[in-house]
Amino acid sequence: MTDPQATQSFDAIRIGIVSVSDRASTGVYEDKGLPALQDWLTRALHNPITFEPRLIPDEQDRISATLIELVDAGCNLVLTTGGTGPALRDVTPEATLAVAHKEMPGFGEQMRQISLKFVPTAILSRQVAVVRGQSLIINLPGQPKAIAETLEGLKDADGKQVVPGIFAAVPYCVDLIGGPYMETRDEVCKAFRPKNAVRAPRP
């Protein structure tokens, strides 16, 4: 449980987390995407977070409707996991693009660059990121290990950043679209902002 006094100086944020899986949504196996997303975000951010979790099947219309619902509910950040490969039922990118006002291709490009450090099949991943209104929506890989790697980036044995994770750019992107000021824990993922966009510490 987060200490309210420790977080009172940080903006409260609402984050939508969506796991897309036919089998997990019907109880065939336990979903691991939502716990992985919630755990990483809780570790990475100083902000007090209200999570809006959704576990849904690989159905394009259902995914699109869920994303719109979360944006309308005030989630300035929505992260999805699953359904981004080339299989016939993998339609998360199509559902995401269908609700987009702007596409943000750099996120998908960087995720694939990170994953290629581990597996050559990373080129089969089709993750996209978009802006809808004042919300940033990002498709992430399906495996918890890959989720953390793409968000956090790669570090050497001394903890020095070798390849930046995509989350380093998320807070400033949310700033630019009119969302709350997100503040990361540097030991997990150091956010980057231009100097003129950095908010002075509150007393």
Side-chain angles (χ1 to χ4, degrees):
M1 181 68 72
T2 305
D3 178 3
Q5 289 186 330
T7 60
Q8 63 184 356
S9 63
F10 301 105
D11 289 356
I13 57 174
R14 185 177 296 272
I15 300 178
I17 51 175
V18 183
S19 184
V20 182
S21 169
D22 284 333
R23 288 179 291 176
S25 65
T26 55
V28 173
Y29 64 70
E30 181 184 2
D31 171 68
K32 296 182 179 178
L34 294 176
L37 287 169
Q38 187 163 334
D39 173 69
W40 192 89
L41 290 162
T42 301
R43 288 190 297 110
L45 289 167
H46 285 289
N47 306 70
I49 308 169
T50 298
F51 289 102
E52 293 285 351
R54 302 288 187 275
L55 176 58
I56 58 176
D58 293 275
E59 297 173 4
Q60 185 170 337
D61 290 346
R62 176 79 176 274
I63 299 166
S64 291
T66 299
L67 297 178
I68 293 171
E69 172 201 341
L70 291 171
V71 170
D72 290 349
C75 295
N76 293 106
L77 177 64
V78 179
L79 301 179
T80 75
T81 176
T84 59
L88 295 179
R89 292 286 292 174
D90 289 337
V91 293
T92 302
E94 287 76 14
T96 303
L97 291 170
V99 304
H101 293 153
K102 295 178 181 177
E103 188 175 356
M104 304 293 292
F107 285 101
E109 293 165 4
Q110 182 66 3
M111 280 189 273
R112 284 180 280 278
Q113 285 299 312
I114 293 169
S115 296
L116 275 168
K117 303 288 184 182
F118 298 96
V119 291
T121 50
I123 59 175
L124 304 179
S125 299
R126 302 186 303 114
Q127 293 102 321
V128 301
V130 305
V131 170
R132 178 181 175 86
Q134 292 181 304
S135 299
L136 174 63
I137 304 171
I138 306 175
N139 300 156
L140 295 170
Q143 297 300 318
K145 182 174 181 290
I147 289 171
E149 289 165 353
T150 53
L151 289 171
E152 197 165 324
L154 307 179
K155 298 175 182 176
D156 63 19
D158 297 323
K160 182 180 178 181
Q161 195 85 51
V162 178
V163 180
I166 64 162
F167 204 83
V170 167
Y172 185 49
C173 183
V174 173
D175 292 349
L176 292 172
I177 60 177
Y181 192 85
M182 301 170 69
E183 302 186 58
T184 57
R185 300 180 191 275
D186 290 355
E187 65 273 19
V188 178
C189 179
K190 183 176 175 62
F192 175 82
R193 286 180 170 94
K195 289 182 180 179
N196 63 357
V198 176
R199 188 166 73 184
R202 296 183 185 179

